[in-house]
Amino acid sequence: YQSRSFPSAYNLARTGTLSTSWDELLWAAITIGRPSTYHVFQHGPTSFHEAIFRLSLIRMAVEQNWHRHLQRTDAFAALDPTEKGMVSYFLGMTLCKLFSSRILNTPSLLHLDVFRPQLNPTILGRSRPDLVGENNAGKWYAFESKGRSSVPSSGDKAKAKLQAHRLVSIGGHPCTLHVGSFAFFQSDLLKFYWRDPDPDAKEPIELPRPGEEWRYYYEPGLSLASMLDEGAMALEHERADATVTIHPKIRELLEQGLWLQAREAARMLQDEFGSDGYRPDGLRVVAGESWSKSYDFSERR
């Protein structure tokens, strides 16, 4: 990965390699807080399918090579440009979430689209950041996350910079970082670039502090965990080869629909979560053995 223009206080390396695991990568994919394509229907099984869809995108897009680096699969290379764009966009958000959690101590991100019912859609528009997150110290960060099937151009990076600038505050608290990021493939290897440029906001966006919007963050994971407990969707679970468990103190709140309370409780319980093997949000995702094997494109066509 490459980091550019971050304040010196963050002490980010300009280049490096981030060591992760399939468990952590799948956790990032499942918990990107954005409205689901299934939300036009009832919640429950539809959120389960949304979670399976996210896992399937990761499985189809990347695999680990002999050097244990992530590379693109033959299946991804075979997609048409429109399909590559969709998968790359999701991969961009997943890596943005992963790096935000590991390097900026900001594990919980929400997509700006979850605020659409509260804001005039013309305010959000198309030229705006994708994600917003609050770190463990109460600082808010804005992220414009993009994905590319090849190395992004200087024009791509400049556009991401402008979009990240527009978000200026959440609940009256100013954004500390306005990050433009890219996940992309270079010589088939998965790479990541992010930059925090000096803010120069035009048409600024001010968001309310999220409350019920945290349902979009937790619902896919809760649905996966619930379906597994009920023994439902067995074939889908077998194909996904990943299990989700939720810390009892968080799950109790989620099952009551207390989304904000679950988020606030998670902030207070992170030390306990870590000692019990959970992520900072109270979820634990475990990838099966198949994730460490090459993706068999021929069996899935």
Side-chain angles (χ1 to χ4, degrees), residues 17 22 60 78 80 109 143 159 174 207 215 226 270 289 295:
T17 300
W22 284 110
M60 187 272 294
D80 67 36
L109 301 183
F143 300 90
K159 184 178 179 181
L207 297 179
R215 74 178 303 164
S226 299
Q270 289 190 20
E289 293 182 0
Y295 181 84

Side-chain angles (χ1 to χ4, degrees), residues 77 125 144 219 244:
E144 167 59 15
E219 262 193 341
V244 176

Side-chain angles (χ1 to χ4, degrees), residues 72 76 88 147-153 156 182-187:
R72 67 178 177 179
F76 179 87
S88 296
R148 292 289 186 272
S149 56
S150 58
V151 179
S153 67
D156 291 333
F182 284 87
F184 61 96
F185 292 100
Q186 185 175 24
S187 299

Side-chain angles (χ1 to χ4, degrees), residues 160-171:
K161 176 180 68 174
L162 291 174
Q163 290 179 236
H165 281 164
R166 287 195 61 201
L167 184 57
V168 296
S169 70
I170 299 92

